[in-house]
């Protein structure tokens, strides 16, 4: 589990590094000039990190399934070599899919306006600037969404269906809580991450304003990577004690000032 968490941290760092500098520059200057090649490069690495994170969260759900539902087989089926193979496979699929997708977009013609009404170079904002036929790119976008979002999300749901079924078979309430606590953090991240991705890429654009889309995009590109360490640290007893002391000290100072 901690091996996969380290890989998730790497992906979060890469995603924030790819997106956040441009967002900060846009917020400070109100507009940012970027060449077409730089825009494609940002989009390429964005697709890689987003796809890898979707695949990695799926692998982590399978890891939790083996740990809870097949505990005796867990050391054999999820050894260090298997972990590395799964992570490398996530990267290979993401790099290949992003490369094909980016090449298709680079072959489009852009002869109209050159202003993207977004924080970064995303799929739909780029296609809206094209003056050529975008049917092939839209088809690849739909296919990639199914491959990266729908299928992994379905696998996660099936994994947690078996996990919840196994947890309910545990006789003691304390045992249920202890077992569920090992996957509660992952389940929270999955709900936040996939919820925002579905809203942006799978729900039709009709009825959605650009401001809402941009706000949701901020959630999975900036907010989620920032809160992931906090979510996965909630089970740490030392962290809980430290946070409790900080809150208590704040309340004590606040009460003393009022008195």
């Amino acid at each position: 589990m901690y091996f996969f968490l380290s890989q998730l941290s790497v992906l979060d760092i890469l995603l924030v590094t790819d997106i956040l500098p441009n967002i900060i520059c846009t917020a400070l200057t109100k507009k940012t000039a970027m060449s077409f090649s730089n825009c494609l490069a940002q989009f390429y690495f964005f697709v890689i990190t987003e796809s890898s994170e979707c695949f990695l969260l799926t692998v982590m759900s399978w890891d939790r399934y083996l740990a809870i539902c097949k505990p005796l087989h867990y050391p054999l089926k999820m050894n260090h070599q298997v972990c590395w193979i799964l992570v490398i496979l996530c990267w290979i699929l993401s790099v290949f899919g992003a490369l094909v997708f980016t090449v298709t977009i680079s072959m489009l013609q852009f002869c109209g306006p050159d202003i993207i009404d977004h924080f970064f170079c995303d799929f739909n904002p780029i296609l809206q600037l094209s003056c050529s036929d975008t049917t092939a790119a839209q088809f690849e976008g739909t296919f990639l969404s199914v491959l990266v979002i729908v299928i992994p999300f379905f696998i996660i749901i099936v994994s947690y269906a078996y996990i919840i079924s196994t947890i309910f078979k545990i006789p003691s309430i304390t045992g249920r809580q202890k077992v569920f606590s090992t996957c509660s953090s992952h389940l929270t991240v999955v709900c936040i991450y996939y919820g925002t991705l579905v809203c942006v890429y799978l729900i039709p654009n009709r009825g959605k304003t650009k401001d809402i889309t941009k706000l949701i995009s901020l959630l999975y590109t900036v907010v989620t990577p920032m809160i992931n360490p906090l979510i996965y640290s909630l089970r740490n007893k030392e962290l809980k004690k430290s946070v409790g002391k900080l809150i208590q000290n704040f309340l004590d100072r606040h009460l003393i000032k009022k008195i």
Side-chain angles (χ1 to χ4, degrees):
M1 181 178 66
Y2 291 106
F3 172 77
F4 291 131
L5 285 179
S6 66
Q7 301 302 313
L8 183 64
S9 300
V10 172
L11 288 173
D12 286 339
I13 293 172
L14 292 177
L15 178 60
V16 172
T17 304
D18 183 42
I19 301 297
L20 192 57
N22 186 61
I23 294 179
I24 295 175
C25 186
T26 303
L28 294 176
T29 62
K30 303 302 180 182
K31 64 178 181 178
T32 302
M34 179 183 291
S35 65
F36 181 68
S37 58
N38 288 342
C39 183
L40 281 182
Q42 185 188 57
F43 176 74
Y44 175 67
F45 288 106
F46 166 73
V47 175
I48 289 178
T49 51
E50 289 291 297
S51 302
S52 299
E53 190 153 343
C54 287
F55 292 140
L56 185 61
L57 289 174
T58 307
V59 170
M60 293 172 71
S61 69
W62 186 56
D63 172 72
R64 293 298 84 204
Y65 162 76
L66 290 178
I68 296 174
C69 301
K70 308 285 184 181
L72 298 180
H73 297 163
Y74 181 77
L76 179 64
K77 293 186 176 181
M78 193 57 74
N79 55 52
H80 198 62
Q81 183 179 0
V82 173
C83 292
W84 271 111
I85 292 174
L86 291 173
V87 169
I88 293 173
L89 184 61
C90 291
W91 278 101
I92 292 175
L93 291 175
S94 301
V95 170
F96 178 75
L99 180 62
V100 173
F101 202 25
T102 306
V103 169
T104 301
I105 294 179
S106 66
M107 297 174 65
L108 298 175
Q109 294 181 356
F110 297 88
C111 52
D114 57 354
I115 299 176
I116 294 181
D117 187 15
H118 206 39
F119 294 112
F120 61 97
C121 294
D122 202 359
F123 176 61
N124 289 324
I126 294 177
L127 289 190
Q128 290 173 2
L129 301 182
S130 176
C131 56
S132 58
D133 186 14
T134 60
T135 304
Q138 290 177 349
F139 176 78
E140 288 186 6
T142 303
F143 178 77
L144 189 66
S145 297
V146 172
L147 179 64
V148 174
I149 301 176
V150 177
I151 295 178
F153 189 56
F154 177 76
I155 295 174
I156 292 173
I157 290 177
V158 173
S159 300
Y160 273 100
Y162 281 103
I163 290 173
I164 293 173
S165 176
T166 302
I167 290 176
F168 277 126
K169 293 179 182 178
I170 300 175
S172 65
I173 297 178
T174 305
R176 293 178 185 176
Q177 293 176 345
K178 185 177 180 180
V179 173
F180 183 75
S181 65
T182 63
C183 56
S184 58
S185 300
H186 176 260
L187 186 59
T188 302
V189 172
V190 166
C191 292
I192 297 174
Y193 189 73
Y194 275 94
T196 53
L197 288 180
V198 168
C199 291
V200 173
Y201 296 106
L202 296 182
I203 295 179
N205 291 329
R206 294 178 180 178
K208 291 192 303 182
T209 63
K210 291 184 178 180
D211 291 337
I212 293 177
T213 302
K214 287 189 286 186
L215 179 61
I216 297 175
S217 299
L218 278 178
L219 292 178
Y220 66 83
T221 56
V222 178
V223 177
T224 302
M226 291 176 63
I227 65 175
N228 276 351
L230 179 62
I231 293 175
Y232 280 104
S233 299
L234 291 177
R235 292 177 57 229
N236 191 299
K237 294 181 179 180
E238 294 181 358
L239 180 66
K240 289 180 180 179
K241 290 181 180 179
S242 300
V243 173
K245 289 180 180 179
L246 289 175
I247 295 175
Q248 187 63 41
N249 292 335
F250 175 79
L251 293 176
D252 291 342
R253 292 178 182 177
H254 188 66
L255 292 174
I256 290 173
K257 288 182 179 180
K258 276 192 172 183
I259 294 174

